Amino acid sequence: TWLDDLALWRELSRSRRAMTDALGDACEVISYPFGAFDARVTRMAREAGYSAGFALPERWTGDAMAIPR
């Protein structure tokens, strides 16, 4: 949440590409570092191709981009 939009986009897209290359299959799930996320982060994660995200334990809101872990 402390990165600007360009740095966040680079981090999300590069890490997804690196994991996809390493796994040999599409990486569709993200675990937010330190559980730090907000609406901007989840929106950009979706745009980068992630379909679900894991955050720190909080009350489940039904948002697949903020699943408590």
Side-chain angles (χ1 to χ4, degrees), residues 34-58:
F34 310 106
F37 75 98
D38 57 18
R40 179 182 67 106
V41 172
T42 58
R43 175 182 50 80
M44 291 183 78
R46 276 190 181 97
E47 291 170 2
Y50 293 102
S51 60
F54 291 93
L56 291 179
E58 293 184 16

